[in-house]
């Protein structure tokens, strides 16, 4: 890490902190205002980071100096916004005090007829009315976050402290792992991190010839964030912090959603506890995957949209929804499956608020015959037009964020969703009801998998048998990803596929109660709770109808789980509340079972960070006992020395332009680490194969050396005549004569 990189790596954190002060809500009664301010700040900072990459990439200025100037300018703007906000608040406070003093003078002024008649109050006269509330006291400045946190801890019960302590402990342990471990996710070795290296090497975002289409076709939102850290530090030492920060953001947004739906402190802590102890969340928080980043943007969209159920949205909320939509689309398009219903709910609520803005008569009906009602109808039409304009602005902001990438993909492949192989590999190709049902059952089976092998086998056999009865092939390629076969074990704590039966079961129960009996879960927010539950269920159903079953499909569901867990927190809180109020025996048993499930959640979370794969605290592969290079290859230990062997032979020849031969799922990232110069400059790696029709591969005769992974025949077919080829298992290289 360079000396300049240390402070610059803190720039995003400082920007979010400053913007949280500048963007804190003004409206009285805003639920969890500090968390809303952090959500707003994260969206602004995320949008800035993305647009910075797009702008500087278009100018071919993806360099450390350019990014340093951009972030310093952004920090200066955030600091200026804080100063402006404080001056505005002081001016508003001064105006309130002045108005209060004027009110006191008016109240205390004697009646005109009594002026000069007496110096004191008349005998028997009633006392003067008390001054207005604003005059009686000026609200003190809200206590700082540390004071509020200390007060909350002091007033919390034993159970609440246990919940909060578990969540805080897991976050700290995950932060430790994120800082100590090197990136070793399989997909990151193949395309997440290589695309970042390609951007740095060429200084721009232009597509490049490659045999791995996912390097250019998969949305790059999370990798854009990694690019900032890569330029700041010169390496990948801080790459895991992007997903760790996203995990913190998911917890903040999910607990605020719980509060918006009527949940108190215990319900919010239960939400945070269930979500934080979910193994998929705990493992992804130390990864360079992208699912937790997507879940964070979706959760931000959800909490901002829920504010629109009770009050008219201002420009800030509209811009925030647009940024959240665009960032979700740019990170993982599957997240739009949830953002779409959320925006629909927001739009319907805004239209309802606009149409009910007219002046009602005494019976509560719109008055059609008075000037006031006509004024109300005019205002209502204006508000409807404002809602339509706001919806258009949301789409416009989203297009500004994701549009440049989609434009590049469209120009390259003639379709905004990429080449046919991408459009046909993940989305469902059959939508008849039997196929949709079987796909949903398979996804549910994988999501709720347990270590109990007999239960797994029985459930899978039942699904396969039912599929055949209704005439559906359970392994149909039109509903199944690639060559995978259902079922697969998914209970083991692996970041790519681990199941979440406790959290999923609690979320399902919470959703059922929110739909059937919302008044018993959140009496004061029954309507919004039911509407939100409908959105969550709709998102899950749309997911199963649009995305094929795959062994690692559980991580694709992470955004839906993040939205559903607040329903679990609300239901658990209502259950414990009724139990404390003297509920009957059945509810006591249910509360006891819920406590047992929560204990299981805690155990699952602890085991995930302790023994989870491929980053763990203890056991074989521990971050404390495993070398940097071996940590990178925990997925494929046998490849570690093979890559070193081939890279060492190539470096010994002082080769500068190096050709790549690889297949679609091969590891490319190790070459970027092993073949870079001693001063950190990236090597000149060029592909000798290309799946991009408009970008031909390099001529093998134009390179100084060739490195290969995967297939030896594919490698030898591209090696010029007379070159010397060496292979060891997965890795090989080729050098020209005399090298």
């Amino acid at each position: 890490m360079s000396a300049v990189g240390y402070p610059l790596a803190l720039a995003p954190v400082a920007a979010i902190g400053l913007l949280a002060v500048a963007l804190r809500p003004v409206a009285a009664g805003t639920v969890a205002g500090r968390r809303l301010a952090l959500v707003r700040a994260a969206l602004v900072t995320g949008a800035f980071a993305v647009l910075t990459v797009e702008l500087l990439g278009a100018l071919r200025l993806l360099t450390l100096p350019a990014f340093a100037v951009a972030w310093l300018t952004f920090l200066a703007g955030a600091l200026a916004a804080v100063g402006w906000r404080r001056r505005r608040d002081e001016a508003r406070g001064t105006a309130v005090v002045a108005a209060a003093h004027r009110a006191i003078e008016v109240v205390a002024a004697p009646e005109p007829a009594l002026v000069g008649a007496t110096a004191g109050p008349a005998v028997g006269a009633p006392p003067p009315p008390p001054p207005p509330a604003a005059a009686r006291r000026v609200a003190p400045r809200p206590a700082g976050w540390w004071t509020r946190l200390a007060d909350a801890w002091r007033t919390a019960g034993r159970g609440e402290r246990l919940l909060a302590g578990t969540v805080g402990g897991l976050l700290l342990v995950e932060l430790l792992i994120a800082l100590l471990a090197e990136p070793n996710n399989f997909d990151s070795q193949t395309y997440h991190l290589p695309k970042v290296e390609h951007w740095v090497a060429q200084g721009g975002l232009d597509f490049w010839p490659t045999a791995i289409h996912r390097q250019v076709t998969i949305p790059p939102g999370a990798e854009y964030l990694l690019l900032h850290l890569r330029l700041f530090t010169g390496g990948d030492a801080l790459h895991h912090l992007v997903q760790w920060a996203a995990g913190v953001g998911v917890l903040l947004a999910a607990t605020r959603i719980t509060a918006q739906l009527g949940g108190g402190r215990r319900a919010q802590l239960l939400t945070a506890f269930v979500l934080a102890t979910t193994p998929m969340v705990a493992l992804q928080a130390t990864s360079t995957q992208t699912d937790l980043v997507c879940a964070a943007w979706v959760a931000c969209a959800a909490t901002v949209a829920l504010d629109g159920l009770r009050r008219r949205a201002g420009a800030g909320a509209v811009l925030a929804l647009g940024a959240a939509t665009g960032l979700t689309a740019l990170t993982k398009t599957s997240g739009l499956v949830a953002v779409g219903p959320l925006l629909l709910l927001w739009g319907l609520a805004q239209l309802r608020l606009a149409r009910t803005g007219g002046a009602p008569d005494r019976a509560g009906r719109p008055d059609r015959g008075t000037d006031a009602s006509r004024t109300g109808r005019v205002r209502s039409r204006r508000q409807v037009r404002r809602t339509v304009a706001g919806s258009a602005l949301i789409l416009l902001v989203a297009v500004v964020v994701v549009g440049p990438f989609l434009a590049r993909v469209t120009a390259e492949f003639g379709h905004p969703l990429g080449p046919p192989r991408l459009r046909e590999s993940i989305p469902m190709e059959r939508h008849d009801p039997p196929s949709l049902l079987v796909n949903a059952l398979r996804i549910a089976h994988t999501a709720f998998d347990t270590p109990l092998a007999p239960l797994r086998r029985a459930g899978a056999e039942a699904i396969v048998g039912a599929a055949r009865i209704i005439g559906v092939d359970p392994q149909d390629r039109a509903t199944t990803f690639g060559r995978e076969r259902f079922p697969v074990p998914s209970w083991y704590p692996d970041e790519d596929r681990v199941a979440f039966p406790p959290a999923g079961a609690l979320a399902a129960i919470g959703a059922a109660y929110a739909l059937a009996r919302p008044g018993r879960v959140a009496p004061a927010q029954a309507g919004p709770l039911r509407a939100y539950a409908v959105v969550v269920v709709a998102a899950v159903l749309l997911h199963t109808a649009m995305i094929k079953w795959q062994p690692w499909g559980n991580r694709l569901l992470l955004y839906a789980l993040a939205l559903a867990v607040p329903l679990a927190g609300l239901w658990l809180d209502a259950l414990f509340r009724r139990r404390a109020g003297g509920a009957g025996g059945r509810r006591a048993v249910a509360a006891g079972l819920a406590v047992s499930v929560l204990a299981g959640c805690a155990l699952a979370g602890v085991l995930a960070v302790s023994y989870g794969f491929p980053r763990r605290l203890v056991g074989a592969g521990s971050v404390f006992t495993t070398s940097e290079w071996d940590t990178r290859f925990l997925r494929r230990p046998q490849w570690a020395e093979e890559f070193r062997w081939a890279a060492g032979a190539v470096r010994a020849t002082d080769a500068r332009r190096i050709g790549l031969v690889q297949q679609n799922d091969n590891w490319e990232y190790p070459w970027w680490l092993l073949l870079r110069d001693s001063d950190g400059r990236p090597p000149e790696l060029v592909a000798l194969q290309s799946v991009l029709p408009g970008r031909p591969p390099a001529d093998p005769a134009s390179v100084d050396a060739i490195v290969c992974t995967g297939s030896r025949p594919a490698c030898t077919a591209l090696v010029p005549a007379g070159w010397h080829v060496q292979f060891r298992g997965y890795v090989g290289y080729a050098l020209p004569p005399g090298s």
Side-chain angles (χ1 to χ4, degrees):
M1 181 182 288
S2 65
V4 177
Y6 278 102
L8 285 177
L10 296 175
V13 180
I16 290 176
L18 291 171
L19 290 174
V21 175
L23 299 176
R24 62 185 184 273
V26 177
T30 301
V31 177
R34 283 179 170 81
R35 275 170 279 177
L36 176 58
L38 285 170
V39 166
R40 291 172 173 175
L43 289 171
V44 172
T45 304
F48 166 78
V50 164
L51 295 177
T52 297
V53 172
E54 289 289 359
L55 177 60
L56 295 181
L59 299 174
R60 302 192 67 82
L61 286 175
L62 298 183
T63 61
L64 175 58
F67 274 62
V69 170
W71 276 102
L72 291 176
T73 304
F74 186 62
L75 285 175
L79 190 60
V82 170
W84 173 82
R85 178 60 188 269
R86 286 181 174 173
R87 291 191 298 272
R88 180 184 176 189
D89 289 345
E90 290 173 359
R92 183 182 294 110
T94 302
V96 170
V97 172
H101 284 307
R102 287 194 297 271
I104 292 174
E105 293 173 358
V106 171
V107 171
E111 292 290 342
L114 299 178
V115 173
T118 176
V123 177
R136 291 198 302 270
R137 61 179 178 86
V138 177
R141 178 174 294 181
W145 66 270
W146 180 255
T147 302
R148 289 170 58 89
L149 185 62
D151 290 342
W153 184 262
R154 185 175 60 255
T155 58
R158 182 180 303 174
E160 293 177 340
R161 291 183 179 183
L162 182 61
L163 294 173
T166 303
V167 174
L170 285 173
L171 288 176
L172 290 176
V173 173
E174 291 160 10
L175 177 60
L176 177 65
I177 296 174
L179 291 172
L180 292 179
E182 287 72 33
N184 57 4
N185 174 265
F186 196 104
D187 285 348
S188 296
Q189 306 277 17
T190 300
Y191 67 96
H192 288 311
L193 300 186
K195 71 169 65 173
V196 175
E197 297 299 326
H198 277 286
W199 295 333
V200 174
Q202 65 188 22
L205 299 175
D206 294 339
F207 290 165
W208 53 90
T210 178
I212 304 173
H213 76 87
R214 291 174 294 173
Q215 291 182 358
V216 296
T217 57
I218 297 293
E223 291 89 340
Y224 279 2
L225 305 182
L226 292 177
L227 175 61
H228 293 263
L229 295 179
R230 167 65 176 85
L231 291 172
F232 291 160
T233 66
D236 57 20
L238 301 183
H239 277 9
H240 288 151
L241 294 185
V242 170
Q243 283 253 114
W244 183 84
V248 174
V250 167
L251 293 178
L252 291 174
T255 54
R256 184 170 187 266
I257 290 171
T258 306
Q260 290 171 287
L261 297 175
R265 183 170 64 187
R266 183 173 62 184
Q268 296 172 49
L269 286 173
L270 285 167
T271 296
F273 178 86
V274 173
L275 196 54
T277 56
T278 301
M280 180 64 75
V281 175
L283 292 169
Q284 288 248 345
T286 64
S287 172
T288 46
Q289 268 289 12
T290 62
D291 306 282
L292 206 49
V293 177
C294 174
W297 298 135
V298 172
C300 288
T303 191
V304 175
L306 282 178
D307 282 336
L309 268 60
R310 291 299 180 90
R311 63 162 60 102
R312 294 288 302 159
V318 170
L319 294 174
L321 284 173
T325 303
L327 290 169
T328 300
L330 189 62
T331 303
K332 220 172 186 70
T333 51
S334 56
L336 295 177
V337 172
V339 174
L342 284 168
L343 292 180
L344 179 61
L345 175 64
W346 176 87
L348 293 175
Q350 290 293 293
L351 287 175
R352 178 182 60 84
L353 292 172
R355 291 183 179 279
T356 57
D361 62 15
R362 293 184 178 181
R365 298 182 301 270
D367 188 350
R368 304 295 182 182
T370 65
D371 292 339
S373 71
R374 284 192 293 272
T375 302
R377 289 195 296 273
V378 172
R379 184 182 299 112
S380 175
R381 288 193 293 270
R382 187 183 302 118
Q383 295 293 344
V384 170
R385 289 194 296 270
R386 180 182 170 189
T387 299
V388 174
S391 302
L393 181 58
I394 290 173
L395 296 179
L396 177 61
V397 173
V399 168
V400 169
V401 173
V402 72
F405 169 72
L406 294 181
R408 288 194 297 274
V409 173
T410 304
E412 192 72 35
F413 301 103
H415 195 287
L417 298 181
R421 65 184 303 178
L422 178 64
R423 302 198 303 270
E424 297 169 2
S425 62
I426 297 177
M428 287 278 286
E429 297 177 77
R430 291 185 57 179
H431 297 90
D432 54 287
S435 295
L436 297 180
L437 175 62
V438 171
N439 193 56
L441 291 174
R442 292 184 302 169
I443 290 175
H445 180 274
T446 304
F448 287 88
D449 190 21
T450 71
L452 303 176
L455 181 62
R456 180 190 313 120
R457 285 195 299 269
E461 290 172 359
I463 293 173
V464 171
R468 288 172 177 164
I469 290 174
I470 61 178
V472 175
D473 179 5
Q475 314 299 346
D476 186 358
R477 296 302 100 191
T479 62
T480 305
F481 181 86
R483 301 179 181 273
E484 306 298 330
R485 293 187 63 82
F486 172 83
V488 295
S490 60
W491 63 268
Y492 185 77
D494 184 303
E495 65 172 354
D496 282 340
R497 63 176 64 191
V498 62
F500 36 82
L506 292 173
I509 295 172
Y513 268 86
L515 291 172
R517 297 181 176 180
R520 300 185 64 178
V521 177
Q525 297 287 339
L529 176 60
R530 175 175 281 166
Y532 181 77
V534 169
V535 167
V536 171
V537 172
V540 173
L541 293 178
L542 287 172
H543 183 100
T544 61
M546 298 174 66
I547 297 177
K548 296 176 179 178
W549 175 87
Q550 47 195 286
W552 42 88
N554 288 341
R555 65 181 178 82
L556 303 182
L557 276 169
L558 195 53
Y559 72 91
L561 182 69
L563 293 185
V565 166
L567 301 176
L570 290 164
W571 172 74
L572 287 168
D573 180 62
L575 179 64
F576 295 143
R577 186 172 62 246
R578 293 196 299 272
R579 177 67 184 92
R586 287 185 300 176
R587 290 176 181 167
V589 171
L593 290 175
V595 171
S596 300
V597 173
L598 291 175
C601 289
L603 179 62
V606 171
L607 290 177
V609 297
S610 300
Y611 295 97
F613 193 75
R615 292 166 302 281
R616 57 176 53 163
L617 284 178
V618 296
S622 166
V623 295
F624 296 115
T625 61
T626 308
S627 69
E628 172 190 345
W629 191 248
D630 289 337
T631 298
R632 296 182 184 277
F633 284 84
L634 283 175
R635 287 283 186 191
R636 298 291 187 271
Q638 68 275 19
W639 295 349
E641 286 307 315
E642 294 177 6
F643 269 98
R644 273 184 165 173
W645 161 76
V650 171
R651 286 180 61 88
T653 65
D654 293 327
R656 184 59 201 164
R657 181 176 169 87
I658 302 167
L660 285 174
V661 179
Q662 55 195 359
Q663 287 75 57
N664 185 55
D665 207 29
N666 289 177
W667 285 19
E668 180 183 313
Y669 186 58
W671 298 127
W672 290 97
L673 298 175
L674 290 168
L675 298 175
R676 66 176 50 177
D677 293 342
S678 57
D679 60 359
R681 284 192 305 153
E684 185 181 358
L685 295 179
V686 295
L688 303 185
Q689 311 135 291
S690 179
V691 294
L692 277 66
R695 300 188 183 268
D699 183 354
S702 69
V703 301
D704 304 322
I706 296 174
V707 292
C708 310
T709 51
S711 170
R712 177 167 185 159
C715 181
T716 56
L718 291 170
V719 172
W723 283 42
H724 180 61
V725 180
Q726 291 285 335
F727 237 91
R728 282 189 185 177
Y730 179 75
V731 179
Y733 68 90
L735 298 175
S739 298

